[in-house]
């Protein structure tokens, strides 16, 4: 018996209203964000988010090293994901990951 597929390719997504703060996103909400916000690599990244159970809190903790080592992304994919993540953080006025407020 094979494991259920975690692919989201070809899936029809119902309209989703994401919580304003990405820290509150569920895994399915981060998957939706990836599919709709990341050009070209969104399908693959969304599938990896689903497989690795990447919630909003986990998403906000990702850096390029983790994207490569834990998610298995290629260099170009990490750049595209980091750019989308940076744009998300700017849009909700959150500091970048690793930023310490004193």
């Amino acid at each position: 018996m094979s494991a259920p597929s975690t692919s989201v390719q070809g899936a029809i997504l119902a309209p989703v209203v994401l919580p304003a703060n990405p820290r509150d996103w569920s895994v399915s909400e981060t998957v939706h964000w990836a599919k709709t916000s990341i050009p070209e690599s969104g399908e693959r990244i969304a599938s990896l988010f689903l497989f690795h159970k990447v919630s909003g809190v986990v998403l906000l903790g990702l850096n390029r090293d983790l994207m490569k080592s834990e998610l298995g992304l290629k260099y170009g994919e990490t750049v595209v994901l980091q750019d989308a993540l940076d744009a998300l953080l700017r849009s909700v006025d959150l500091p970048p990951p690793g930023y310490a407020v004193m």
Side-chain angles (χ1 to χ4, degrees), residues 21-93:
N21 189 335
R23 287 184 184 103
D24 298 330
W25 292 358
S26 67
V27 171
S28 63
E29 289 164 334
T30 62
V31 166
H32 178 79
W33 172 81
K35 283 186 61 69
T36 58
S37 300
I38 303 171
E40 298 177 29
S41 301
E43 291 284 342
R44 175 170 147 70
I45 292 169
S47 293
L48 290 168
F49 282 3
L50 185 59
F51 180 79
H52 290 283
K53 298 182 178 18
V54 176
S55 65
V57 170
V58 174
L59 175 68
L60 295 178
L62 287 178
N63 59 42
R64 285 191 185 171
D65 289 335
L66 289 173
M67 291 174 196
K68 288 189 288 186
S69 66
E70 298 303 319
L71 298 179
L73 295 179
K74 296 175 181 145
Y75 177 74
E77 292 171 319
T78 66
V79 172
V80 171
L81 176 53
Q82 187 66 60
D83 288 348
L85 187 52
D86 290 345
L88 170 67
L89 294 172
R90 284 190 306 273
S91 75
V92 295
D93 199 27

